[in-house]
Amino acid sequence: MNRNEKILRHINKNGQGIEIGPSYNPIAPKKAGFKVDVIDHASREQLIAKYDGHGVNLDNIEEVDFVWQGESYAELTGKHKYYDWIIASHVIEHTPDIIGFINDCDAILTDDGVLSLAIPDKRYCFDHYRAITGISKVIDTHLSQATFHTPGTVADHFLNAVSRSGRIAWESHTSGEYKLLHSMEYVRQIMNCAIDGKTYIDTHGWCFVPHSFRLMIHDLFHLGFISLQEVDFYPTEGCEFYITLGRKGKETHQSRLEMLEAIDIELSEANTGESIDLWEKRFYELEQVRQQLQIQLEQNQIQLQQTQAKLAISQSELQASQKMISAMKTSKFWKLRTNWLKIKKSLGLPANE
């Protein structure tokens, strides 16, 4: 499956959806027949001016239906439990409040709706040297009702951002030298802007490997912070992984300890490069096989129950027939019939006359 197929797998094209922050690369464009409203931080005209001269196809920038200025998505759209799907590619890592973002999406999704996310894997982008996000920061930031990234987060982002072989995002097999992207003077200036608090500084506020994000979703659900669970997951391809969330999501078959162990493997220097990439793909393949076998088992159980019900009915009918035959054999009519057949036989008459 290619990137779009993974992101769109649980998207009903005939349903009403939202794409958040598609910029110049929409995944579900209106011109492709999707019934989609676009949310972005700027109008189409402003986005065209922003990306003019950056070597991108400006024609791909779609009309922006809702320009977001910090309000909830329900307030922004005027809708509640309305949309069948939401797509957000490389958005959630920018949000100051992850729990708030997920719940904002949940508020405008139908009960069967899904939130489809593409998320950068910190191992293969400029976040490479940053620590993965722990749940403590996620919870504390939400409870403090943060609407801006903290100065510390801004400093961490810009101090440790790197390129590899001149790229800010790469694949697991990419080799080459890492280089810091920003000078100390630049970091000091931008951190002071964050301290001032009057300007929103766009950063990656959160860093994940695939299983650290899956574990975070699992824990936030069970702690009562969100109502969405994992619907589907695809391991890292290139610099990103994919996860779909929904109210109809199910408990992952992995225990918390198994997910913690998976995080260790993903972060382990002994398993970097193609080896971890292959491990993730193999893990996903095995998970798909497990799901198929589970579906087959459930179908077989249903067929078994149906067969057992039919058998029970047949046995009941058989018992009823046996009782009827026994009753007939002891009846006066049966005895007269038996004697009459004997007489007919002695006279040489056919038994059926």
Side-chain angles (χ1 to χ4, degrees):
M1 298 177 72
N2 62 33
R3 180 180 193 266
N4 277 18
E5 288 171 339
K6 293 172 184 176
I7 297 172
L8 296 172
R9 182 177 180 187
H10 297 277
I11 299 302
N12 175 11
K13 190 174 182 179
N14 295 320
Q16 185 67 46
I18 274 186
E19 186 163 2
I20 301 173
S23 190
Y24 57 84
N25 189 28
I27 296 165
K30 298 172 184 178
K31 62 184 179 182
F34 288 93
K35 300 176 182 178
V36 59
D37 289 336
V38 173
I39 293 177
D40 219 314
H41 70 282
S43 67
R44 182 175 189 272
E45 292 73 20
Q46 291 170 324
L47 291 172
I48 289 174
K50 176 180 178 179
Y51 291 108
D52 188 24
H54 284 68
V56 301
N57 187 352
L58 299 179
D59 291 336
N60 285 341
I61 300 176
E62 298 208 309
E63 195 64 41
V64 177
D65 299 282
F66 302 105
V67 177
W68 182 71
Q69 295 179 326
E71 67 270 62
S72 73
Y73 295 146
E75 291 174 314
L76 178 64
T77 64
K79 301 290 194 301
H80 181 75
K81 299 296 181 187
Y82 176 78
Y83 292 98
D84 299 298
W85 48 268
I86 297 173
I87 293 172
S89 172
H90 291 239
V91 171
I92 196 169
E93 68 276 9
H94 292 269
T95 59
D97 177 4
I98 283 184
I99 296 173
F101 170 78
I102 293 173
N103 288 337
D104 265 2
C105 291
D106 184 25
I108 60 174
L109 282 172
T110 64
D111 287 339
D112 294 322
V114 295
L115 170 60
S116 182
L117 302 170
I119 304 169
D121 186 327
K122 78 106 181 173
R123 296 171 296 174
Y124 308 125
C125 72
F126 52 78
D127 292 322
H128 180 80
Y129 286 114
R130 297 177 67 194
I132 60 171
T133 295
I135 198 167
S136 61
K137 182 183 174 184
V138 173
I139 293 172
D140 293 344
T141 301
H142 174 67
L143 294 178
S144 68
Q145 300 182 332
T147 56
F148 288 77
H149 294 296
T150 66
T153 298
V154 171
D156 180 44
H157 171 96
F158 288 98
L159 278 172
N160 300 311
V162 295
S163 64
R164 189 172 197 186
S165 296
R167 299 164 58 188
I168 61 172
W170 53 88
E171 296 78 33
S172 60
H173 57 266
T174 300
S175 60
E177 184 181 358
Y178 293 102
K179 289 186 177 180
L180 291 169
L181 292 175
H182 306 291
S183 68
M184 183 62 71
E185 179 58 29
Y186 176 79
V187 176
R188 186 182 298 112
Q189 291 174 0
I190 201 163
M191 183 190 69
N192 286 335
C193 289
I195 292 173
D196 181 59
K198 296 180 181 179
T199 305
Y200 172 80
I201 308 299
D202 187 31
T203 69
H204 278 195
W206 320 94
C207 301
F208 302 104
V209 291
H211 280 85
S212 72
F213 188 86
R214 297 180 82 186
L215 180 61
M216 181 192 72
I217 294 298
H218 170 277
D219 290 347
L220 290 177
F221 174 82
H222 285 281
L223 290 172
F225 285 102
I226 62 174
S227 298
L228 304 186
Q229 291 193 85
E230 183 177 310
V231 173
D232 204 355
F233 163 75
Y234 292 94
T236 298
E237 188 77 27
C239 68
E240 60 186 1
F241 58 93
Y242 314 91
I243 189 165
T244 302
L245 308 176
R247 282 183 170 266
K248 300 296 178 68
K250 297 182 179 179
E251 186 76 22
T252 176
H253 75 282
Q254 290 176 285
S255 68
R256 289 196 76 258
L257 183 58
E258 287 172 329
M259 283 192 277
L260 287 168
E261 290 171 344
I263 294 168
D264 260 355
I265 293 174
E266 288 169 338
L267 293 174
S268 174
E269 291 183 0
N271 291 285
T272 55
E274 292 181 279
S275 58
I276 185 63
D277 197 38
L278 292 172
W279 180 87
E280 286 181 335
K281 289 179 180 179
R282 180 56 180 158
F283 179 89
Y284 172 72
E285 291 170 357
L286 291 173
E287 171 64 9
Q288 294 296 98
V289 170
R290 186 198 67 80
Q291 291 178 4
Q292 292 172 0
L293 291 175
Q294 180 66 32
I295 292 172
Q296 185 177 349
L297 176 61
E298 291 172 357
Q299 292 174 342
N300 290 340
Q301 288 174 335
I302 292 172
Q303 292 176 351
L304 177 60
Q305 291 172 352
Q306 292 173 343
T307 301
Q308 288 174 332
K310 290 178 181 179
L311 177 59
I313 293 171
S314 298
Q315 289 174 333
S316 178
E317 291 176 347
L318 177 60
Q319 291 172 354
S321 298
Q322 289 174 335
K323 290 180 181 179
M324 181 65 73
I325 292 171
S326 298
M328 290 176 64
K329 286 184 176 180
T330 58
S331 67
K332 184 176 179 180
F333 170 79
W334 183 270
K335 292 177 181 178
L336 289 173
R337 181 179 181 277
T338 301
N339 291 333
W340 170 241
L341 291 174
K342 289 179 180 178
I343 293 172
K344 287 178 72 175
K345 184 176 182 181
S346 65
L347 294 174
L349 298 175
N352 59 353
E353 289 185 4

